[in-house]
Amino acid sequence: MRRFLFLSCLTFFAVSPASADITHAIKSSISLTVDGAASQSIRLGSSMAVSGSNITLDTTPKFATLTSGTALGYTPGAYSITTAGDSFSYSESYLEGDDVPTVLSTTVTGGVVPALPIFGNNTTTSGGTPGALAGTIATDGAIAIVAGGAGTTAIGQVIQELSIR
């Protein structure tokens, strides 16, 4: 009897039971995004440039006085040829800069900028309108997404993961 007991204990401990780790995970998410309105405006300054050869400056070109709501204005220079009969070159350019606005900011209404300052260099992004933007994920994993207006994004996902080790 002792041998039988010893043999059965030995067999019991020598045979290991089968084991496995099973992991099941379900992850679901919905992301709803509405773009914000943005505007960046950079005022440009006035500039002038004069260049040439075989010319003499008689009257200096100049800017007028800057007054809000009016153009800056420019008085061109007067030049004469230095050596008559010789070749000459002459170039004069003028760029009117942006006026000083009465208001330097704007208001955002319902996520949209209705009026923007206009300068020489503008970058504008229109804001999104949510409209009927919505999304749900049912318990069975079914995704329902309702489109919004312009400037909206809706992303839905369900991830099922099964790991056996």
Side-chain angles (χ1 to χ4, degrees):
M1 179 74 176
R2 283 184 170 199
R3 283 187 185 181
F4 177 72
L5 183 59
F6 177 72
L7 188 57
S8 60
C9 284
L10 186 61
T11 307
F12 177 73
F13 289 114
V15 177
S16 61
S19 65
D21 291 331
I22 298 175
T23 305
H24 181 231
I26 300 173
K27 300 172 189 171
S28 59
S29 67
I30 286 195
S31 173
L32 305 174
T33 307
V34 178
D35 295 340
S39 177
Q40 178 181 2
S41 295
I42 300 171
R43 285 182 63 200
L44 296 181
S46 296
S47 65
M48 70 174 161
V50 177
S51 65
S53 63
N54 193 28
I55 59 168
T56 303
L57 175 64
D58 295 333
T59 306
T60 306
K62 56 186 162 185
F63 292 126
T65 304
L66 178 61
T67 306
S68 183
T70 63
L72 174 61
Y74 167 73
T75 304
Y79 305 91
S80 58
I81 296 176
T82 306
T83 306
D86 287 352
S87 64
F88 71 95
S89 67
Y90 166 74
S91 173
E92 185 172 355
S93 65
Y94 167 70
L95 174 66
E96 175 77 37
D98 295 323
D99 188 15
V100 178
T102 55
V103 177
L104 285 172
S105 63
T106 185
T107 23
V108 178
T109 307
V112 178
V113 180
L116 301 169
I118 297 177
F119 291 125
N121 185 351
N122 296 298
T123 302
T124 303
T125 303
S126 178
T129 52
L133 181 64
T136 58
I137 299 178
T139 55
D140 64 353
I143 299 174
I145 294 177
V146 178
T152 62
T153 306
I155 300 171
Q157 69 177 2
V158 175
I159 300 171
Q160 292 198 23
E161 183 179 308
L162 180 62
S163 299
I164 303 173
R165 294 183 192 174

